[in-house]
Amino acid sequence: MLQPIVYQLGHEPIKDHCFAPGYELLAVTKDNTVELYQTQVNSKTKPQLITTLKGHDKTVTSVDISPDGTKILTCSQDRNALVWEWNDQAGDFKPTLVLLRINRAATVCKWSPNGDKFAVGSADRIIAVCYYEAENDWWVSKHLKKPLKSTITSLLWHPNNVLLALGSTDGHVRVFSGYIKGVDEKPEPSIWGSKLPFQTLVGDYSNETGAWVHDVTFNKDGQGESLAYVTHDGSISVVYPGGEGQPPAAFITIKTNYLPFKSLLYSGNRIIVGGHNCNLIVFEGDQNGWHEAFHVEKQKDLIHDVPAVEEDQEISSHDALNMFKQLDLKGKASRPNQKGSGKALSTINQNTIASIKWYEGGKVSTSGIDGKIVIFSV
């Protein structure tokens, strides 16, 4: 495996990140803002901060960049979503209003493959499918509601730009039609169905534990003919639909002893997962069964001594808190990360991997609670 590329972008948690097409623009969530960085493909040089998008007054939960790279979509616990576009006159990104019509936090947002609409999940048990209304210069929404009964935690569009897979805290993964008349062309019949008016439910799946669903995705190389998802019980489920109105041709759940996975990617016969284990794990298989293949990072031991740092090196808030605890308990404080005084995980990520995205050349990028963006070749 090639040496991973690590960008330490401060110590605040990065809940979500996204690269623009071309991978020269990076968007990361930081509390109630989104930071935009200029970067170069496969460069080890730390990205340069361009600007900070400040339009939300509560935690930004998700960010996505449109397929053409011209628009940035954000959503937040403040119940709003914004579409940011570059404004030449102002010399900065300016937001466009989105009429979500939800009463609770927006939890996740995704552009459709064609970039002409997007979906926003919420804690209001609603999916808002949004499209642009040029007359009023805003984005309006249609709601997917029934039979949703809990917070939407994840969603992803099918390659046909119409179907939408979503996971929620009731343990269910559902596949809906997000067809918008006047925006979408009539979709070709597929294994998911032939007639797909808006809000048609074409799939509803749950494993035996009914654990929270953390992430869901279609098979990237299989034209969306199967999907996979991860749940809070540390398991991975793969669904192969059997055709319109038919039960699944195969429904495989891989139970593991790992801590919960937070995000996954699915391509061909390979699934890449990451989460509270702070390491990427690859599973391989097909309709006949799946198995664990390898860890992306070798873990010989769980922890190791942290090497000494320079005196002027920035320390995290967690380290600072430990220093004050030592001062309170012992009357003295030792500087954290001095040789022999601390421990660290043997993985690059020192805290939960929050999201995984595809990167150039089949590589993957991760964002973590430790403030790192890491690019792995898998």
Side-chain angles (χ1 to χ4, degrees):
M1 184 186 79
L2 296 175
Q3 191 69 20
I5 299 171
V6 182
Y7 302 141
Q8 182 73 61
L9 304 179
H11 294 284
E12 290 182 74
I14 300 175
K15 291 177 66 68
D16 196 15
H17 77 290
C18 184
F19 283 91
Y23 307 98
E24 294 177 349
L25 180 68
L26 167 64
V28 301
T29 63
K30 291 281 191 74
D31 195 17
N32 60 351
T33 66
V34 172
E35 294 179 350
L36 298 183
Y37 291 86
Q38 184 176 10
T39 183
Q40 295 179 344
V41 180
N42 294 317
S43 172
K44 294 184 179 180
T45 305
K46 185 176 179 179
Q48 182 179 357
L49 180 65
I50 303 171
T51 187
T52 301
L53 306 181
K54 299 177 180 179
H56 296 287
D57 57 18
K58 285 187 170 61
T59 301
V60 177
T61 52
S62 185
V63 61
D64 197 25
I65 299 177
S66 61
D68 62 4
T70 62
K71 304 180 189 70
I72 301 169
L73 171 64
T74 62
C75 70
S76 165
Q77 291 177 358
D78 63 7
R79 301 173 295 169
N80 292 315
L82 296 172
V83 177
W84 303 80
E85 290 186 84
W86 179 259
N87 185 298
D88 285 327
Q89 292 181 339
D92 203 351
F93 287 87
K94 293 296 179 184
T96 304
L97 181 65
V98 180
L99 300 179
L100 285 184
R101 299 181 290 120
I102 60 175
N103 295 317
R104 299 199 177 177
T107 52
V108 60
C109 58
K110 287 287 189 297
W111 285 102
S112 69
N114 293 348
D116 51 7
K117 59 183 179 178
F118 58 84
V120 180
S122 71
D124 205 15
R125 299 170 293 178
I126 286 172
I127 299 276
V129 180
C130 307
Y131 56 97
Y132 186 64
E133 199 172 75
E135 299 172 3
N136 298 308
D137 188 29
W138 60 25
W139 294 78
V140 295
S141 62
K142 293 184 71 174
H143 284 176
L144 296 169
K145 293 182 179 179
K146 296 180 180 180
L148 302 177
K149 298 178 181 178
S150 63
T151 298
I152 309 304
T153 56
S154 59
L155 52 83
L156 190 74
W157 288 93
H158 188 276
N160 70 3
N161 206 67
V162 170
L163 294 176
L164 185 65
L166 57 101
S168 52
T169 55
D170 62 359
H172 283 255
V173 164
R174 297 178 174 93
V175 182
F176 282 98
S177 169
Y179 177 82
I180 303 292
K181 190 175 181 180
V183 176
D184 292 310
E185 296 182 5
K186 187 176 180 181
E188 295 291 329
S190 72
I191 199 166
W192 294 100
S194 53
K195 295 182 179 179
L196 299 172
F198 185 78
Q199 200 162 289
T200 301
L201 180 65
V202 299
D204 190 342
Y205 312 102
S206 178
N207 63 24
E208 58 186 21
T209 63
W212 286 17
V213 178
H214 284 305
D215 198 13
V216 60
T217 184
F218 287 102
N219 189 337
K220 180 171 174 278
D221 289 348
Q223 297 302 310
E225 293 184 354
S226 58
L227 63 81
Y229 63 93
V230 288
T231 47
H232 196 69
D233 59 356
S235 65
I236 306 164
S237 296
V238 188
V239 180
Y240 297 87
E244 189 171 4
Q246 300 296 317
F251 189 132
I252 300 166
T253 297
I254 311 113
K255 297 178 180 178
T256 76
N257 293 322
Y258 295 113
L259 295 172
F261 303 118
K262 293 286 291 181
S263 186
L264 85 162
L265 299 175
Y266 179 18
S267 178
N269 64 344
R270 179 177 280 191
I271 292 174
I272 306 166
V273 295
H276 292 282
N277 297 283
C278 308
N279 196 355
L280 295 181
I281 303 171
V282 178
F283 290 78
E284 294 179 346
D286 53 29
Q287 197 163 333
N288 298 315
W290 285 80
H291 66 277
E292 181 182 329
F294 60 92
H295 289 62
V296 172
E297 292 183 79
K298 304 298 182 185
Q299 285 180 274
K300 294 181 180 179
D301 53 356
L302 180 62
I303 58 176
H304 63 84
D305 288 332
V306 178
V309 296
E310 298 297 327
E311 281 300 313
D312 61 347
Q313 184 171 325
E314 182 182 357
I315 64 172
S316 69
S317 57
H318 176 72
D319 288 333
L321 180 62
N322 284 337
M323 287 176 66
F324 281 109
K325 282 182 178 178
Q326 290 173 12
L327 192 61
D328 185 46
L329 293 171
K330 302 176 184 178
K332 61 180 182 177
S334 60
R335 183 172 178 83
N337 289 350
Q338 289 181 336
K339 191 170 183 179
S341 66
K343 299 286 185 179
L345 298 176
S346 59
T347 54
I348 292 174
N349 286 103
Q350 295 296 297
N351 209 323
T352 302
I353 294 173
S355 67
I356 315 172
K357 303 290 175 69
W358 290 111
Y359 191 72
E360 184 269 342
K363 299 174 184 174
V364 301
S365 63
T366 67
S367 61
I369 304 303
D370 57 0
K372 289 178 182 174
I373 299 291
V374 186
I375 298 168
F376 293 96
S377 57
V378 180

